[in-house]
Amino acid sequence: MIFNEKMFKSSTLCRKWNIFPFLLFLILKFSNGLIPDTEDIYTNNDSTNGKFALLMPNVRPNIPELYLCTPVKVDSSSSYYIIGYEPNATMNTAHHMLLYGCEEPGSIKPVWNCGEMSKKNAEEAVSPCGSHGHSQILYAWARDAPKLELPEGVGFKVGASSQIKYMVLQVHYAHIDKFKDGSTDDSGVFISYTTKQLNKRAGVILLGTAGLIPPMAVEHMETACEINEHKTIYPIAYRTHTHSLGKVVSGYRVRANEKGVQQWTLLGKRNPLTPQMFYPVENKDPIVFGDHLAARCTMKSTRHRVTEIGATNEDEMCNFYLMYYVENDEPLSMKYCFSQGPPYYYWKNPDGELNNIPDNSASTL
């Protein structure tokens, strides 16, 4: 069902919006312009469920390796639970997309350059979320990954009594050839939600590294963090991400036995050059206080130069996303787990907290 339309006018532009009683996102006017256009909002026969389109407002990227962000303000008078994501993108247009949950957006503009990791555009880039508020990743997509539906009863809480007051869509445009004829882009994601209260609250923790990859070499980029919150998390799914040098990305739960010997339980392992969707974890056993999360990326370089971690295709990334839920509790305060990476950090560092480490053969498929 398509709901009634209402017009909001500005001295510089006139945009079409859709408002209905169960509106998930209250689109507001910022001080220097409006939040970008959205598509129609739909519901199904169940009035507690709906779908919302958060799309780029027909942007025209003009710089290679450009990161663009566009925000939407969440209706803070009610609570909503995100239960699924359907991408509206292809890898021929978008290198990858991220959806951030923010307490404040990084900018009040309707669209802004948010490639703060990119050396080319860093001086004019602004982060997706404001620097002083809450920030977390809600969804990630790349390489033509299909839609994602969360398990029954699990959802990301946004809106009232949540720190997530805005959602910000980030799209990385690696190449701009297709836009030279004046074409525009509306890549983004259709977000499925419910207003029914869910007691299983979803969260995502991103494990990654900084570091360098030597020329003509195989390098292992590793990170690990201890769970220092008294919460029980239940892993749901994992996602891997590298650029072209990545061969295998793996993630583990690490738990010490009564003798202090750590047992490494595989959560997920994948070739990162396959569709970069969230895949079901290999082991759903709970993760608790005192456990470690660890991730390793195996990189193989045939380049005659050092490759750095960075935002462009000339750089690399080492990312392992773990999606989980907590029951009748808040998700972890820890949203990120990053190390310095090689040559400064490895699991085997003498001053590290890890033992019984899998050998490198565990990093092959």
Side-chain angles (χ1 to χ4, degrees):
M1 177 178 180
I2 301 177
F3 288 83
N4 293 333
E5 300 172 350
K6 185 176 181 180
M7 303 299 292
F8 287 81
K9 296 185 177 180
S10 163
S11 59
T12 57
L13 72 167
C14 181
R15 299 176 181 268
K16 183 189 297 183
W17 307 95
N18 299 281
I19 305 297
F20 66 101
F22 298 101
L23 182 60
L24 173 56
F25 304 107
L26 179 60
I27 311 300
L28 297 180
K29 184 176 180 180
F30 282 135
S31 59
N32 66 339
L34 296 177
I35 294 174
D37 290 326
T38 60
E39 295 295 317
D40 292 321
I41 299 170
Y42 305 90
T43 61
N44 55 27
N45 292 331
D46 181 354
S47 62
T48 64
N49 287 12
K51 184 178 287 188
F52 177 78
L54 178 50
L55 308 175
M56 279 293 162
N58 295 313
V59 297
R60 186 175 298 143
N62 59 357
I63 303 172
E65 304 291 357
L66 183 63
Y67 284 65
L68 292 180
C69 281
T70 188
V72 67
K73 184 177 176 71
V74 182
D75 172 14
S76 60
S77 66
S78 300
S79 295
Y80 304 92
Y81 298 84
I82 298 172
I83 56 176
Y85 304 95
E86 184 176 354
N88 180 64
T90 69
M91 62 184 292
N92 292 330
T93 299
H95 178 270
H96 72 264
M97 300 189 299
L98 290 174
L99 182 65
Y100 289 86
C102 309
E103 194 166 351
E104 293 289 342
S107 172
I108 60 173
K109 296 179 179 179
V111 180
W112 69 90
N113 175 357
C114 54
E116 71 277 7
M117 286 181 62
S118 173
K119 304 177 188 68
K120 294 181 180 179
N121 307 310
E123 67 280 355
E124 59 186 48
V126 178
S127 298
C129 296
S131 58
H132 300 297
H134 176 83
S135 168
Q136 74 174 87
I137 293 173
L138 299 176
Y139 175 68
W141 171 95
R143 302 187 70 86
D144 289 343
K147 68 179 180 179
L148 171 68
E149 295 180 355
L150 273 63
E152 184 72 25
V154 177
F156 289 91
K157 186 179 181 180
V158 300
S161 67
S162 167
Q163 291 180 296
I164 300 175
K165 307 302 182 186
Y166 293 80
M167 292 197 300
V168 176
L169 171 69
Q170 181 190 71
V171 180
H172 175 198
Y173 296 96
H175 308 289
I176 61 169
D177 291 346
K178 69 172 296 180
F179 301 108
K180 290 181 178 179
D181 63 356
S183 299
T184 60
D185 181 59
D186 65 349
S187 293
V189 59
F190 294 94
I191 301 169
S192 297
Y193 69 90
T194 182
T195 57
K196 179 183 177 182
Q197 180 175 325
L198 301 179
N199 294 326
K200 296 179 178 179
R201 300 275 303 281
V204 171
I205 182 167
L206 169 58
L207 292 82
T209 79
L212 306 172
I213 303 169
M216 306 297 292
V218 174
E219 183 61 278
H220 295 97
M221 314 190 84
E222 298 168 340
T223 187
C225 292
E226 184 177 3
I227 302 297
N228 56 15
E229 300 174 51
H230 290 276
K231 297 174 187 260
T232 299
I233 71 171
Y234 299 89
I236 301 171
Y238 74 97
R239 175 184 181 267
T240 65
H241 179 72
T242 71
H243 295 168
S244 59
L245 303 188
K247 298 302 179 184
V248 183
V249 180
S250 52
Y252 298 86
R253 184 203 70 184
V254 185
R255 177 178 294 173
N257 63 20
E258 64 278 2
K259 296 181 179 180
V261 178
Q262 291 174 332
Q263 307 300 314
W264 292 64
T265 301
L266 183 68
L267 296 172
K269 181 168 69 171
R270 194 145 194 101
N271 175 353
L273 301 185
T274 56
Q276 293 180 3
M277 60 181 282
F278 279 93
Y279 295 90
V281 291
E282 298 289 334
N283 189 296
K284 295 183 179 180
D285 289 345
I287 299 167
V288 299
F289 175 80
D291 289 346
H292 286 75
L293 293 175
R296 170 190 276 166
C297 299
T298 300
M299 304 290 195
K300 184 177 181 180
S301 177
T302 56
R303 297 170 177 171
H304 295 278
R305 62 173 177 84
V306 171
T307 302
E308 301 179 15
I309 290 291
T312 77
N313 279 329
E314 295 300 309
D315 307 312
E316 261 302 340
M317 285 186 175
C318 170
N319 293 156
F320 182 92
Y321 297 79
L322 180 65
M323 185 178 292
Y324 65 89
Y325 73 86
V326 293
E327 196 158 8
N328 297 311
D329 203 347
E330 295 291 325
L332 292 173
S333 297
M334 182 173 66
K335 310 298 182 187
Y336 303 95
C337 170
F338 273 73
S339 75
Q340 291 181 292
Y344 309 106
Y345 176 87
Y346 296 97
W347 288 341
K348 64 182 181 182
N349 282 6
D351 57 348
E353 300 178 342
L354 302 177
N355 63 60
N356 197 30
I357 296 169
D359 61 29
N360 292 340
S361 64
S363 298
T364 60
L365 290 175

